[in-house]
Amino acid sequence: MQQQTSIQLVKTISENPHAPDLFSGQDTHNSALKSVSCLYQTTKDQNLITEIIRGYLPEDYQGNTLDEIPGMCEWALKNNKAEIKSKKDSFFDNITSYFNKAGIELIHSEEDIGCFKVPNENGGFDTFPIKSRRGKLLIRKIIYDEFGGSIGGNDLSDLIGSLEAIAIFDGRQAVFHLRLAKIDKEIILDLGNPERSVVKCNADRWEIIPSGMIDAIFRRREGYRSLPKPKRNRCLRKLRELLGIIDDQIWYCIIAFIINALRPDGPYCCFILDGEQGSGKSFLSAAIKRIIDPNLLDKMRFPKSERDLMIQAKQYHLLVFDNASGVKQHMSDALCVLATGGGFATRSLRTDEDLMTFVVCRPFIINGIGGFAYNPDLLERGIHVSLPTMNPDSRKTEQELNEAFEDILPEVLGVFMDGIVQALRNFEGTPTPKGLRMADAARWIAAAEPAFDVPPGSLVEALRRSQGDIMKQAALEETLGQGLIQVLNTYGGKFEGSTAGLLSELNDKGFNKLKDPFFPSNSSQLSKKLRLLKPALRLAGIVITKLARSNKSSLWRIEFDGTEDFSDTSESDKPQF
């Protein structure tokens, strides 16, 4: 930096247009004043400036110009600042004037994020944050194209700050959407292509139109990929064949999840997908992602914190967590909130008072080998599919699968657009299915069912069976569930006693923290765990009843209801569902 300054100073000295007047000793005051103004832009050292001016003057110079150098430096400081401010003001005025002429609007989100809304040649709009990399590049391009120049980093930062302030305080507030939007009684799907085309669905039909024809603003986040234009009058047979789905129950669950995830505002059933290695879990997850919300990152690892989960949910409409190995209780609770809609607040980084708030509702897929999701609250919100292992002789390469999938994607997308139309047409007249935790999601699925070549009622029934089966399986795979079966077999199918007595019986049979680090270690933890597992164990055939409290502790009645045969059931030979 010092070397650049020295070079610039030498250049200023050698190219000074006022040097001849100083050499002659004529009109030295005005010439020195102008020279000081030029030099002051390169150096603020008054002694150095004085010596430079002295070098310009004749050896026999007798005037007082050198004594006036300090005052000239003060004048140069004020004058240069005024010139810079004038240039900045003029520059800012030119930029904002260009925005008005080009139809570029400054708007802000509900979270007070200033954004550019830029019209494109296809009748749509590009929308992105002013402070984003793309926002900064837009300003640099405008300055280069329109004004034939460039802008320094500090000036760009000042300009960005001013534009964002205008967007937040003077611009209109807009609702930003990710991939899907609901406007009045219509659902809009952003195809994500350069033409900014969208699919508009209502109760009568769907059509492809420019995004400029609808009042919805879509944010295209990092890695956002495009969908093909859907085709009409097709079916899902080719998709089922490509995925190798033979079981009707699995197929109906896949359809139910996809059409539910194509609802813009939730609530959503999550998709819990398990299977052994080689069952095609990852490809099925990626295929569903590409039907609904394609992205360069089609699968990701399960997050470690609620904050990370919410940040990911702000980036994608559909989240896919690949190869999950376990979902801890606090993350299971966060996923429940994500599926049904809720908020999360945390302190902003590098601040004391500012909060980051997240209010989101998103569909998501979790896949793994098994045993990674066991919380009943999460399982009741899910659609569970267990994939069988594929025949090695019929397996295709990933490239073959991807190419075949891309070929059929337009017609697959067209069928699900028909499903959205049917759901909008039938929703109000569709009764809410009974006995399901996610009743509103089930109602949407039932309303969309006529678009698919499936027997009436099959999608909701598949959802019901799926939830019942996974709840029973999770309850019996739970260490406490296994322990209760052994205790009940010891007592002839029925136990009555205190929490402490039950815990003692379980410990005597080897069920403790050595067997399972999450196993209850005291009466309070056991009571909480019994209440948590009560709905799932009831589905599995074990009824838990809390009796009137005694003077010392809670009393429980736990018994088999006779619907399942648990006789001689051990840890290695428990019922399978």
Side-chain angles (χ1 to χ4, degrees), residues 7-54:
I7 294 173
Q8 184 63 36
L9 181 60
V10 171
K11 185 177 180 182
T12 302
I13 294 171
S14 61
E15 296 179 356
N16 182 9
H18 311 291
D21 290 336
L22 292 173
F23 288 148
S24 68
Q26 304 294 321
D27 193 20
T28 57
H29 175 83
N30 288 332
S31 298
L33 181 62
K34 294 175 182 178
S35 298
V36 168
S37 181
C38 293
L39 292 168
Y40 208 79
Q41 296 180 32
T42 305
T43 178
K44 303 296 187 294
D45 187 337
Q46 290 188 19
N47 293 330
L48 178 59
I49 292 175
T50 300
E51 292 304 316
I52 293 172
I53 298 299
R54 190 192 304 277

Side-chain angles (χ1 to χ4, degrees), residues 105-141:
E105 187 180 1
L106 301 179
I107 59 178
H108 67 276
S109 69
E110 294 170 304
E111 299 90 356
D112 276 349
I113 298 174
C115 294
F116 291 123
K117 184 181 178 185
V118 185
N120 61 33
E121 59 186 11
N122 300 300
F125 292 92
D126 294 321
T127 306
F128 43 88
I130 295 171
K131 284 187 173 181
S132 67
R133 177 176 175 272
R134 195 174 182 190
K136 295 174 183 178
L137 290 175
L138 172 67
I139 293 175
R140 288 188 181 279
K141 186 176 188 306

Side-chain angles (χ1 to χ4, degrees), residues 181-198:
K182 186 174 183 181
I183 309 297
D184 296 327
K185 294 183 178 181
E186 296 179 330
I187 289 178
I188 314 297
L189 172 68
D190 179 22
L191 292 178
N193 55 30
E195 296 80 20
R196 291 279 165 173
S197 303
V198 299

Side-chain angles (χ1 to χ4, degrees), residues 241-343:
E241 291 175 353
L242 179 65
L243 297 176
I245 305 299
I246 299 174
D247 188 282
D248 285 344
Q249 167 73 11
I250 294 177
W251 179 238
Y252 299 156
C253 285
I254 293 171
I255 294 175
F257 174 77
I258 295 175
I259 192 60
N260 180 215
L262 285 168
R263 189 181 187 187
D265 48 3
Y268 301 106
C269 293
C270 61
F271 199 55
I272 302 172
L273 180 61
D274 69 45
E276 296 180 3
Q277 186 175 1
S279 59
K281 302 182 300 296
S282 294
F283 180 75
L284 175 57
S285 300
I288 295 174
K289 173 77 172 174
R290 284 149 71 184
I291 292 170
I292 300 169
D293 184 29
N295 193 281
L296 291 177
L297 183 64
D298 55 10
K299 302 183 294 291
M300 56 189 139
R301 297 303 302 271
F302 192 78
K304 295 182 179 180
S305 69
E306 297 172 71
R307 186 178 187 275
D308 290 343
L309 174 65
M310 293 301 167
I311 289 174
Q312 290 174 356
K314 296 288 282 187
Q315 300 295 319
Y316 313 101
H317 173 71
L318 172 63
L319 295 90
V320 179
F321 303 117
D322 193 41
N323 288 320
S325 57
V327 180
K328 295 182 179 179
Q329 182 65 48
H330 75 285
M331 290 304 296
S332 181
D333 293 341
L335 289 171
C336 291
V337 172
L338 183 63
T340 54

